[in-house]
């Protein structure tokens, strides 16, 4: 027979299984007798005195309140109720070079109110600040060595303790391998956090080639142009792009192509991306964190798909 009293009352707002889970959690964590409160009203002679865990009661109220929230907020509330997350948004922005991460990331930052963290920027900031981890990184870079995965994770661990990361953060450029992803997971687990969203922007390789290999930049300002999609005024119809025909609209100074924006360099970058980075999606898919977005569309359509995949912002 179904239990009476508190469990039955819980069953009016949640399933019996949910109530049992909550009560089991209370006993599992070993609450002292003082943590229990008794039901109000007289107790008949010989009746079993019903006792209600205060934690179970507050959990019940929280779950009841959560059912009246919008879907996204409700999901976050129930995750916090289960103790699996503090609601922090830990996001990985994922995609090949040229997928549009650079143009979409600022919008995501605005919506979620959390910072975008680039490993390169964090390394430079740690070195400039003279932190212990920064000094280690500076020594490695000064000797011409590569910064180890362990050191990068240490820099991330240090950075995310800052106030602007209270509600979460967006990682861009890390992890790049499954091994790095596992190290990141272990680091986050130590503080009770976990990756909550891996937003994967997907674009066919042949489209990426056109996007990247047609890209020219003005070195001094960072202004970017494209031979097909955002041509400078200096490039006339029928002209081939070159240092003479690709000039900055504002200064008329010659534009340049980055060394890794050539077709040959792109092949190498894409090969490494498919072999080492794409398997990260399979690593996170069992948790339900992976959201794929077709980024081979107009920017407004891509943003609409991204926005619908985002969680709610967390109060700081």
């Amino acid at each position: 027979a179904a239990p009476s009293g508190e469990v039955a009352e819980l069953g009016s707002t949640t399933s019996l299984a949910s109530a049992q889970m909550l009560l089991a959690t209370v006993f599992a964590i070993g609450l002292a007798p003082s943590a229990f409160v008794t039901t109000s009203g007289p107790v008949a002679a010989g009746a079993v005195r019903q006792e209600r865990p205060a934690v179970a009661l507050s959990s019940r109220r929280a779950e009841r309140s959560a059912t009246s929230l919008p879907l996204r907020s409700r999901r976050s509330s129930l995750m916090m109720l289960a103790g699996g997350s503090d609601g922090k948004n830990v996001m990985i922005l994922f995609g090949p070079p040229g997928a549009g991460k650079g143009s979409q990331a600022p919008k995501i930052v605005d919506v979620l109110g959390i910072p975008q963290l680039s490993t390169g920027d964090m390394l430079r900031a740690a070195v400039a600040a003279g932190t212990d981890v920064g000094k280690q990184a500076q020594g490695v870079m000064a000797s011409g060595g590569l910064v180890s995965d362990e050191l990068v994770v240490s820099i991330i661990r240090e950075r995310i303790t800052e106030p602007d990361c209270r509600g979460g953060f967006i990682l861009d450029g890390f992890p790049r391998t499954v091994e790095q992803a596992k190290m990141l997971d272990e680091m986050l687990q130590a503080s009770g956090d976990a990756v909550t969203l891996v937003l994967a922007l997907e674009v066919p390789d042949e489209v990426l080639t056109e996007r990247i290999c047609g890209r020219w930049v003005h070195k001094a300002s960072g202004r970017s142009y494209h031979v097909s999609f955002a041509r400078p005024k200096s490039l006339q119809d029928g002209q081939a792009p070159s240092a003479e025909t690709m000039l900055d609209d504002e200064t008329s100074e010659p534009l340049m192509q980055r060394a890794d924006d050539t077709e040959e360099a792109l092949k190498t970058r894409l090969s490494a991306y498919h072999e080492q980075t794409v398997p990260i999606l399979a690593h996170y898919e069992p948790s339900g964190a992976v959201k794929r977005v077709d980024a081979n569309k107009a920017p407004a359509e891509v943003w609409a798909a991204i926005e619908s995949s985002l969680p709610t912002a967390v109060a700081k």
Side-chain angles (χ1 to χ4, degrees):
S4 60
E6 176 59 16
V7 174
E9 185 181 352
L10 278 169
S12 67
T13 54
T14 67
S15 67
L16 178 58
S18 297
Q20 290 171 329
M21 178 187 72
L22 291 169
L23 292 173
T25 301
V26 171
F27 289 109
I29 62 177
L31 287 175
S34 60
F36 289 79
V37 294
T38 60
T39 54
S40 60
V43 179
V48 177
R49 188 176 183 85
Q50 295 182 16
E51 295 187 330
R52 299 188 289 178
V55 172
L57 288 174
S58 60
S59 296
R60 175 185 55 145
R61 293 185 187 112
E63 188 168 356
R64 178 185 292 155
S65 297
T67 59
S68 65
L69 297 172
L71 179 59
R72 289 179 181 174
S73 298
R74 191 187 315 161
R75 186 182 300 121
S76 299
S77 297
L78 292 177
M79 283 177 66
M80 288 186 279
L81 176 63
S85 169
D86 62 358
K88 184 181 291 184
N89 290 319
V90 179
M91 176 179 167
I92 298 173
L93 188 55
F94 192 92
K101 299 188 298 295
S103 59
Q104 300 293 354
K107 301 176 187 177
I108 299 172
V109 169
D110 286 344
V111 169
L112 297 183
I114 56 178
Q116 176 189 3
L117 306 182
S118 156
T119 50
D121 291 343
M122 284 187 285
L123 278 168
R124 286 186 287 272
V127 169
T131 65
D132 290 341
V133 176
K135 290 175 182 177
Q136 293 178 50
Q138 186 176 31
V140 172
M141 293 187 290
S143 65
L146 293 175
V147 178
S148 68
D149 291 345
E150 291 81 5
L151 197 51
V152 172
V153 170
S154 295
I155 287 174
I156 295 172
R157 182 188 295 113
E158 186 177 78
R159 172 65 179 86
I160 63 178
T161 61
E162 295 182 21
D164 63 338
C165 291
R166 283 194 195 121
F169 49 90
I170 303 164
L171 287 174
D172 181 10
F174 189 91
R176 292 180 183 271
T177 67
V178 172
E179 189 58 36
Q180 290 177 350
K182 291 178 179 177
M183 293 175 68
L184 174 66
D185 293 343
E186 186 176 350
M187 182 269 286
L188 292 171
Q189 188 176 18
S191 59
D193 296 315
V195 172
T196 55
L197 175 62
V198 180
L199 188 65
L201 305 184
E202 300 185 326
V203 180
D205 285 4
E206 58 272 19
V207 175
L208 294 171
T209 301
E210 182 183 10
R211 284 186 182 183
I212 291 179
C213 296
R215 187 165 58 186
W216 290 66
V217 297
H218 181 239
K219 187 175 181 179
S221 68
R223 283 186 289 273
S224 182
Y225 299 85
H226 194 279
V227 296
S228 299
F229 311 126
R231 296 167 58 171
K233 298 173 183 176
S234 59
L235 183 64
Q236 304 300 312
D237 291 341
Q239 287 185 320
S242 67
E244 289 74 34
T245 60
M246 299 290 288
L247 306 177
D248 179 49
D249 286 349
E250 295 189 21
T251 66
S252 296
E253 295 173 342
L255 303 177
M256 59 167 285
Q257 277 192 300
R258 295 190 180 100
D260 57 358
D261 279 356
T262 64
E263 192 165 349
E264 185 175 346
L266 180 60
K267 285 180 182 178
T268 302
R269 293 168 70 191
L270 288 177
S271 176
Y273 175 77
H274 290 299
E275 292 175 11
Q276 299 178 23
T277 307
V278 169
I280 293 173
L281 295 179
H283 171 73
Y284 284 114
E285 275 176 338
S287 70
V290 176
K291 303 293 183 185
R292 299 173 185 266
V293 171
D294 181 359
N296 187 27
K297 294 182 177 180
E301 292 180 75
V302 175
W303 171 243
I306 290 173
E307 194 171 23
S308 68
S309 301
L310 295 178
T312 51
V314 176
K316 298 179 183 179

